[in-house]
Amino acid sequence: MRNVKIVADSSADVLERQGVPFAVAPLKIITNEKEFVDDAALDVHGMVSWFDSYKGKSKTSCPNSGEWLEAFGDADEIFCVTITSGLSGSYNSACVAKQMYEEQHPGKRVYVVDSLSAGPELVLILEQLEAYIRQDLPFEEICQKIEEYKNSTSLVFMLASLKNFAANGRISPAVAKITGVLGIRIVGKASDVGTLEPIHKPRGEAKALKTILNHLKECGLCKGKVWISHCENPAAAEMLSEMICQEMPQTTVQIHSCRGLCSYYAEKHGLLVGFEKF
């Protein structure tokens, strides 16, 4: 019996999986006043509400190599999925942990996947890894196939606020303020190199959802899986799901809530959509 494990950082927005041993290495959201650890104990709603009134600086912190090693446990084969290296040092930290683990445990193997994304696209990758493991494919074949599969998935997002991006120093406060005041939504995508790339600036949520739908069709979605993550916006998630199912009835759509890290970046009313481009 193979001793196989899947590990992800908390940007995947999931705490447990069924069928394959799974563990999470938490990211952290750090402010001048308090720190939020993105683990099972986090009150996500409380964190989002707290940020409504917080006006200071904030930043995120990735799992260190020790936290990754703890998540690896004692498995013989480990598949590790991280948030995009374009936003975080999580991938590099996991690679350090991989080297340490393999040196400490000769014969054991770790493969680290840079998702080049966040949130629901990681869920798609995790699901596919589970499928390959259940097929009992060799370690090397799974590594090759998951990289090929990763090229067939993508992420599109809608943001109603850029306050935390400004507090994190990623955009100017002036740009963030205009977005909030004018009711503009930012619709963007994860680029090929794992950065978040704005592509449209519709005014209002209804236009933003239509923009997302058009983007999904342009990318080739017709019968694949779609994961919608929302930050305290179930109504928009349900509306988008209905739009997708009506236009592309062969798709499979699932909805869940963002946890800590993704809620911090998506902010209240934001959506993240991971999808297969087929």
Side-chain angles (χ1 to χ4, degrees), residues 30-153:
I30 302 169
T31 75
N32 294 334
E33 297 180 15
K34 62 194 305 184
E35 177 178 298
F36 300 92
V37 180
D38 191 11
D39 60 14
L42 177 64
D43 174 6
V44 178
H45 173 73
M47 184 197 82
V48 173
S49 299
W50 186 84
F51 269 105
D52 281 343
S53 58
Y54 177 67
K55 301 185 184 303
K57 295 290 184 181
S58 58
K59 62 181 181 179
T60 60
S61 174
C62 69
N64 59 42
S65 56
E67 289 168 323
W68 278 117
L69 287 171
E70 182 178 352
F72 291 172
D74 62 353
D76 297 330
E77 298 175 359
I78 299 164
F79 298 94
C80 175
V81 186
T82 77
I83 188 174
T84 172
S85 58
L87 280 180
S88 170
S90 189
Y91 172 75
N92 290 333
S93 180
C95 287
V96 172
K98 160 190 163 66
Q99 182 177 355
M100 295 169 63
Y101 191 81
E102 292 179 340
E103 288 175 352
Q104 294 168 6
H105 307 282
K108 297 191 176 186
R109 295 177 290 183
V110 181
Y111 189 74
V112 184
V113 180
D114 182 353
S115 71
L116 299 177
S117 190
E121 190 173 356
L122 271 72
V123 179
L124 293 173
I125 294 171
L126 294 175
E127 288 180 337
Q128 196 62 39
L129 278 170
E130 291 166 357
Y132 292 148
I133 292 169
R134 284 194 295 269
Q135 294 171 34
D136 202 28
L137 299 179
F139 181 85
E140 295 83 0
E141 187 174 351
I142 294 177
C143 297
Q144 178 184 345
K145 281 183 171 292
I146 202 62
E147 290 296 336
E148 293 170 353
Y149 175 77
K150 193 176 71 172
N151 292 329
S152 70
T153 64

